[in-house]
Amino acid sequence: MFLVDSHCHLDGLDYESLHTGVDDVLDKAAQRDVGFVLAVSTTLPGYRAMRAQIGDRDNVAYTCGVHPLNLDGGYDYAQLRAFAAEPGVVALGETGLDYFYQQDNIPLQQSSFREHVRIGRELKKPVIVHTRDARADTLAILREEKADECGGVLHCFTEDRETAGALLDLGFYISFSGIVTFRNADALREAARFVPLDRMLIETDAPYLAPVPHRGKENQPAYVRDVAEYLAVLKGVDTARLAQQTSENFSRLFNISLPGM
Ligand SMILES: [Zn+2]
Ligand SMILES: [Zn+2]
């Protein structure tokens, strides 16, 4: 079996007491058949620092972007474009809209989101989209900016079935995190039943949102196995089949040939 963690903040794990280093984290992942990790950045300095920390590896790829909650100091558009064009960067993001945690900078969130999509189209790299309490605006911007031309994924999906349908119509993939295992996530489980297997990704969003049975602990790429096992039951397939399909989807979307496949 070969699993991919399609969204992880690999620079944000606890390297003081839980792991001895990045090798340790990736070893623990490999022991649970998680053979590839997408390391997602949330600021431009963070992107630089993460690459310096983790280095070039055949089981890690990078994204470059500015998270909607990290826009207070603005960012340099030319630098974003230059970093995003670097080899080893497979996507723009994470970008998007978060009206749940911040509403005083909505115009800035929207213009940043649009710029990420434009660069994605220009560089032919997909976008990784974060959305919270901003469903209608997120869909409107993706349509207006022709995001279907670069493609992308709505990560850590927590919306309803109708929103999933609208994203699928745009050609987007939908990524499920450990939230789908939470007891109160019935609406999300309904959406997960609806999303076809060939458009589904899985992620941890580590260090946040550890799935059951690790809930409350720090999350890590190894735990994407728990998300896969849970979703497999929900979809009525075995875990190996879900692993195969979600890894193929990942490979197709991000144009990465996976070493184990
Ligand atoms: Zn996010
Ligand atoms: Zn994230």
Side-chain angles (χ1 to χ4, degrees), residues 37-234:
V37 175
L38 185 55
V40 174
S41 65
T42 60
T43 66
L44 297 185
Y47 161 74
R48 289 268 77 172
M50 181 159 65
R51 285 201 79 152
Q53 179 189 357
I54 295 164
D56 288 335
R57 296 165 183 265
D58 60 10
N59 54 355
V60 177
Y62 295 96
T63 78
C64 183
V66 186
H67 192 286
L69 297 176
N70 291 335
L71 289 168
D72 288 349
Y75 64 90
D76 182 333
Y77 177 88
Q79 196 170 59
L80 170 64
R81 196 199 167 288
F83 286 170
E86 289 183 353
V89 174
V90 298
L92 273 291
E94 56 180 291
T95 179
L97 305 173
D98 194 319
Y99 300 170
F100 181 79
Y101 283 112
Q102 198 166 4
Q103 298 195 339
D104 61 0
N105 69 344
I106 285 175
L108 183 60
Q109 290 190 36
Q110 294 184 351
S111 62
S112 167
F113 184 22
R114 288 181 190 277
E115 287 180 349
H116 280 76
V117 177
R118 284 171 201 169
I119 295 172
R121 286 173 55 207
E122 189 189 338
L123 298 176
K124 299 190 178 5
K125 295 184 180 183
V127 288
I128 295 178
V129 179
H130 168 111
T131 188
R132 186 116 189 241
D133 276 7
R135 173 185 322 167
D137 286 358
T138 299
L139 287 169
I141 287 175
L142 288 174
R143 289 190 189 108
E144 286 166 22
E145 297 297 334
K146 303 189 178 70
D148 56 314
E149 291 182 6
C150 57
V153 56
L154 201 308
H155 104 90
C156 197
F157 187 80
T158 53
E159 305 293 334
D160 58 10
R161 180 186 159 135
E162 286 65 37
T163 308
L167 288 159
L168 292 171
D169 288 346
L170 269 167
F172 266 55
Y173 289 76
I174 293 177
S175 179
F176 292 92
S177 69
I179 294 177
V180 77
T181 70
F182 293 179
R183 200 159 51 93
N184 60 358
D186 286 333
L188 181 57
R189 281 186 279 274
E190 193 198 319
R193 281 189 203 95
F194 167 73
V195 173
L197 264 184
D198 65 358
R199 301 290 288 283
M200 189 178 269
L201 298 181
I202 51 175
E203 68 172 88
T204 59
D205 206 11
Y208 317 107
L209 300 166
V212 174
H214 311 287
R215 204 171 170 185
K217 288 199 266 178
E218 184 182 274
N219 204 353
Q220 57 176 291
Y223 296 168
V224 84
R225 173 72 177 255
D226 300 279
V227 178
E229 288 174 353
Y230 190 94
L231 275 173
V233 173
L234 207 61

